[in-house]
């Protein structure tokens, strides 16, 4: 399989975080063509930060991200993103929101419209072209976001907690549709999620990060036929395996937090005695 995306020793430290650990530390993994990779980890481990770095929206403190062998220094036209918060322009219609990326690329208006209509039909929003975001449900807004991401014909689609801001019934429907889109279009997907069953349902591989600073703790292959049944014994076994890894990290983070509290207490005590 061809390596399409390489995350190489990525570390991210934010300014003014003198006593805090880095958000990410020495993160390394590959994504191959047509992969569906999910990234999971404890809250605050840097999952969304990692995705922003891959998208070119943020820069690593050290390390690099490579797309087809070339280091990414800014957003790439062949990598698009679906945001948790939808990130739609409220003053644009559904159609014009989907057209936005094509407009930036300088595609002629007639061609933009044709492509946008095609992808709105693909995500089940035919007939909604002239509505505005305020007239849409959360699930419909996310469908617009997915259509917009697909319309620019990317090779890789990044999804940041893309199903967490909508109700579970709608989320399950969208997950099924995204799985079908992945199969039909041969696009590569990289999804950050806190939802473990969601990751197992969608992914070919799951990158498990440690508690902050986020490091790669394990990469779990998901060799299950699609569509996947959450009650299947193999599905349940993978869930148990990853849940144990995350539970272990939660315990470690609690211990580190207690040690940090003790150090702070000792520091204050020493200051009082001076």
């Amino acid at each position: 399989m061809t390596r399409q995306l390489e995350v190489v020793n990525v570390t991210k430290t934010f300014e003014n975080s003198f006593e805090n650990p880095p958000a990410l530390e020495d993160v390394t993994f590959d994504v191959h063509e047509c992969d569906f990779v999910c990234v999971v980890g404890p809250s605050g481990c840097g999952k969304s930060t990692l995705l922003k770095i891959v998208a070119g929206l943020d820069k690593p403190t050290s390390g690099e991200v490579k797309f087809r062998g070339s280091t990414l220094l800014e957003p790439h036209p062949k990598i698009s993103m679906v945001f948790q918060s939808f990130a739609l322009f409220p003053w644009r219609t559904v159609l014009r929101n989907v057209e936005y990326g094509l407009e930036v690329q300088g595609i002629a208006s007639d061609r933009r419209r044709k492509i946008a209509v095609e992808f709105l039909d693909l995500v089940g929003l035919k007939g909604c072209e002239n509505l505005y975001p305020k007239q849409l449900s959360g699930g419909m807004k996310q469908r617009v976001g997915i259509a917009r991401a697909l319309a620019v014909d990317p090779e890789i689609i990044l999804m940041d907690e893309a199903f967490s801001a909508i109700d579970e019934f709608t989320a399950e429907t969208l997950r099924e549709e995204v799985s079908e889109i992945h199969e039909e279009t041969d696009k590569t997907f990289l999804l950050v999620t806190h939802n473990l069953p969601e990751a197992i349902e969608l992914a070919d591989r799951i990158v498990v990060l440690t508690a902050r600073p986020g490091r790669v703790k394990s990469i779990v292959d998901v060799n299950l036929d699609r569509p996947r049944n959450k009650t299947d014994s193999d599905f349940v076994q993978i869930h148990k395996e990853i849940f144990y890894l995350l539970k272990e990290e939660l315990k470690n983070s609690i211990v580190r937090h207690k040690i940090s509290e003790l150090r702070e207490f000792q520091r204050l005590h020493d200051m009082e005695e001076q």
Side-chain angles (χ1 to χ4, degrees):
M1 296 180 69
T2 303
R3 280 192 302 185
Q4 194 173 26
L5 188 75
E6 301 167 70
V7 178
V8 185
N9 303 124
V10 166
T11 295
K12 179 64 178 181
T13 302
F14 291 101
E15 295 180 4
N16 302 321
S17 57
F18 305 108
E19 296 184 2
N20 294 323
L24 298 164
E25 188 170 74
D26 201 27
V27 174
T28 297
F29 64 92
D30 296 334
V31 178
H32 301 97
E33 285 184 349
C34 306
D35 259 355
F36 202 125
V37 175
C38 287
V39 179
V40 301
S43 178
C45 72
K47 299 186 295 294
S48 292
T49 298
L50 175 62
L51 205 66
K52 289 175 183 176
I53 291 171
V54 173
L57 300 175
D58 200 353
K59 297 184 185 302
T61 305
S62 62
E64 61 183 341
V65 176
K66 295 182 178 180
F67 175 66
R68 297 205 176 278
S70 299
T71 300
L72 285 173
L73 300 174
E74 59 186 5
H76 195 285
K78 286 299 180 181
I79 301 176
S80 61
M81 189 161 178
V82 179
F83 297 88
Q84 176 183 2
S85 60
F86 314 127
L88 303 180
F89 298 114
W91 59 88
R92 282 179 173 249
T93 63
V94 165
L95 182 68
R96 294 204 62 224
N97 264 285
V98 176
E99 286 183 350
Y100 177 74
L102 299 166
E103 188 177 323
V104 170
Q105 292 180 358
I107 306 298
S109 59
D110 289 349
R111 177 67 178 154
R112 288 201 310 264
R113 177 176 291 270
K114 182 179 179 181
I115 293 171
V117 167
E118 174 187 341
F119 281 100
L120 284 170
D121 189 17
L122 178 67
V123 299
L125 289 178
K126 184 176 182 179
C128 298
E129 293 85 355
N130 296 319
L131 296 179
Y132 286 87
K134 67 180 181 180
Q135 297 173 288
L136 306 179
S137 67
M140 293 171 76
K141 289 176 183 176
Q142 199 56 289
R143 289 173 193 269
V144 176
I146 293 169
R148 179 178 59 186
L150 288 167
V152 295
D153 192 25
E155 293 186 29
I156 299 176
I157 298 172
L158 310 176
M159 306 184 83
D160 184 15
E161 301 277 11
F163 310 108
S164 64
I166 52 182
D167 67 90
E168 181 53 32
F169 176 78
T170 303
E172 184 60 37
T173 302
L174 274 179
R175 283 192 284 266
E176 291 174 3
E177 292 177 0
V178 165
S179 183
E180 290 172 3
I181 290 169
H182 170 243
E183 187 173 349
E184 291 170 5
T185 63
D186 290 328
K187 303 292 185 187
T188 301
F189 283 77
L190 179 59
L191 168 68
V192 159
T193 180
H194 68 277
N195 186 323
L196 194 47
E198 175 177 285
I200 302 169
E201 179 182 348
L202 293 171
D204 300 305
R205 290 182 298 132
I206 299 174
V207 178
V208 183
L209 297 184
T210 65
R212 185 171 182 157
R215 307 182 187 94
V216 175
K217 183 179 181 71
S218 181
I219 298 179
V220 179
D221 292 324
V222 186
N223 297 314
L224 302 177
D225 293 334
R226 293 183 171 90
R228 293 169 178 170
N229 184 346
K230 294 178 183 177
T231 62
D232 180 82
S233 59
D234 291 332
F235 191 108
V236 172
Q237 182 57 41
I238 293 171
H239 188 284
K240 287 180 179 179
E241 177 185 349
I242 301 176
F243 182 80
Y244 176 80
L245 293 171
L246 295 175
K247 185 177 180 181
E248 190 175 57
E249 282 307 304
L250 179 60
K251 288 180 180 178
N252 289 341
S253 66
I254 290 172
V255 169
R256 286 201 298 268
H257 182 67
K258 291 298 182 184
I259 291 172
S260 177
E261 285 182 343
L262 288 171
R263 286 175 177 167
E264 178 66 12
F265 177 80
Q266 185 62 49
R267 187 179 69 85
L268 293 173
H269 178 71
D270 291 343
M271 289 174 63
E272 286 177 357
E273 292 188 340
Q274 289 178 359

